Amino acid sequence: MRRAMFRGFALSLACAFSVAAGTAQAADTSVTPRTYNVWQWNVAGNTIHDGSLTDGLVDQAVDSIVNRGADFAAFNELCQNQYSAIITELRARAWPVDGNTSFARFEPSLPAGDADVCAGSAYGNALFSKHPLGSADRVTLPTDGTAEARNLLCAPLADGLGTVFCTTHLTTDPDFKSTQLKAVFDQLATYDTPIIAGDFNVQPHHKKLNPYYAPSVNTVANDGNTGSYRELDDADSAHCPGHGESTTDAPSDNKCGIAAKIDLVFVRESTLAGPYSADSLAPSTACTGVAACSDHRVLIGTVTVQ
C-alpha cells in the first residue's frame, strides 16, 4: 500500500514538475554570451579513500581541473579535509584568477566527528570557481530516512551577470528520488542562468528525469520529456544520442547497451547561446592502494549561455 501511495504521489509531483518547467525565466539577450568549461566528479572520498590526503586523489583532481581548463568544478562524496587540500593546491597552481580568494564552497551531508567517516572530517559536496563567487545557497533536500542529509549547493558568480553554479548528490533510494529531484528543480527555477553538475543517481532515460529534459530531447534512448533543460552530453551523435556516455561501470537498462550514466550537467535550454558538448573521462589509476581513483568518471563539458 505504501508503494502504491508513493507512485500516486510521484505522478502528481511529475505533473507539477512539468507545469513549473514551463515557467522558466527567459534569458536576458542584452548580456554578452559567456562560455564556461564545467568539470564534475564523484570522488568517493570516503568509501574508496577513507579521507586520505596522501594517496593521490587530491593531486589527480587538481591536475584534471587545471589541465582541462575548468571554469567551474563540482565534487560529490568529498571529505572536508580533502576540500581544504584542494583549495591549497589550486591556489598554488594559480587557478583562481585575479587574486580570487572567494572561489570555493562546501556543504556537509554528514558532519565531522565520526572516526569511520572521512577520518573524522565532514563529508559532502563542494564547488570551485576560477572567478569569484557570491554567497552560497545551501538547501537540505527532503530526507530519505538515512543519516545523510542530502543537499543542493549553489553559488552565483560575483560578476552580477546571473550565472549560478550548483551541485547535488541525490539519494540512491528510488522511493525518494522524485521528491529530491523536485526540490532541486524548484530551487533552480529561482535563478536566471543556472548550471548544475552532480551525481543525480538517476539515468537520462528514466521517467523521473522527464520533467528536466526539454521536449527537444526526443530520441530512441530518451523520449517523453516535458521539461526545460538540456544535459551537456545529450547532443553527442556518436555516443547514445539524447543520453550520452557512461559515467560509471554499473549495468544499465538503457537502449544503447552501455553502462550507467548518473553524473549529469544541466543547463536551461532558454539560456543557451551556442553549441554545447561533454565528455566522460576514464578515472585515473594513479591513486595508491586502489585500482582506480573513483568508481565514477570525470564528466567535463563546455557551454555558452546568455
Side-chain angles (χ1 to χ4, degrees):
M1 177 62 73
R2 177 177 177 271
R3 291 188 179 273
M5 290 175 64
F6 183 84
R7 283 195 292 271
F9 179 51
L11 179 60
S12 66
L13 277 177
C15 293
F17 231 160
S18 300
V19 171
T23 64
Q25 299 176 9
D28 181 356
T29 56
S30 66
V31 176
T32 302
R34 296 91 71 196
T35 299
Y36 302 112
N37 293 328
V38 181
W39 184 100
Q40 152 69 28
W41 197 15
N42 180 327
V43 295
N46 176 59
T47 55
I48 290 179
H49 300 276
D50 297 319
S52 176
L53 302 179
T54 59
D55 69 355
L57 174 64
V58 170
D59 291 338
Q60 292 303 307
V62 170
D63 282 349
S64 184
I65 291 169
V66 173
N67 293 340
R68 293 290 173 175
D71 297 293
F72 295 132
F75 286 83
N76 306 125
E77 297 193 26
L78 186 68
C79 299
Q80 192 165 17
N81 59 339
Q82 295 163 342
Y83 164 77
S84 297
I86 290 169
I87 289 175
T88 298
E89 291 302 315
L90 286 173
R91 282 178 172 154
R93 300 283 289 273
W95 180 74
V97 299
D98 302 328
N100 176 13
T101 60
S102 184
F103 68 96
R105 303 287 185 270
F106 180 84
E107 182 64 13
S109 52
L110 289 172
D114 185 344
D116 293 327
V117 177
C118 288
S121 180
Y123 164 95
N125 299 314
L127 296 174
F128 297 85
S129 172
K130 184 177 288 187
H131 296 274
L133 293 171
S135 298
D137 289 327
R138 307 166 188 274
V139 180
T140 300
L141 301 178
T143 183
D144 59 2
T146 67
E148 185 172 357
R150 303 278 181 167
N151 62 69
L152 169 68
L153 174 64
C154 298
L157 281 176
D159 59 16
L161 296 181
T163 303
V164 179
F165 187 47
C166 300
T167 190
T168 194
H169 181 202
L170 301 186
T171 181
T172 59
D173 189 328
D175 283 350
F176 296 92
K177 287 181 182 180
S178 290
T179 54
Q180 291 189 355
L181 281 166
K182 185 178 184 303
V184 170
F185 186 93
D186 288 347
Q187 182 65 28
L188 294 179
T190 68
Y191 302 133
D192 290 334
T193 309
I195 301 173
I196 181 167
D199 177 357
F200 282 71
N201 273 313
V202 183
Q203 297 185 67
H205 62 289
H206 287 173
K207 300 307 180 186
K208 287 181 173 66
L209 279 178
N210 283 1
Y212 273 71
Y213 282 94
S216 54
V217 184
N218 184 19
T219 68
V220 171
N222 186 0
D223 61 4
N225 298 302
T226 60
S228 54
Y229 288 85
R230 299 298 298 251
E231 201 275 321
L232 295 193
D233 206 20
D234 69 26
D236 187 346
S237 59
H239 297 98
C240 201
H243 187 284
E245 298 175 85
S246 305
T247 62
T248 72
D249 292 329
S252 170
D253 59 349
N254 63 63
K255 294 184 179 180
C256 292
I258 60 176
K261 174 184 174 67
I262 57 177
D263 302 275
L264 308 165
V265 182
F266 282 111
V267 179
R268 189 178 297 141
E269 186 176 47
S270 63
T271 68
L272 290 171
Y276 59 91
S277 63
D279 281 301
S280 171
L281 308 178
S284 170
T285 58
C287 294
T288 58
V290 293
C293 290
S294 177
D295 54 351
H296 288 246
R297 293 169 175 257
V298 173
L299 183 62
I300 59 171
T302 300
V303 63
T304 301
V305 296
Q306 60 187 5

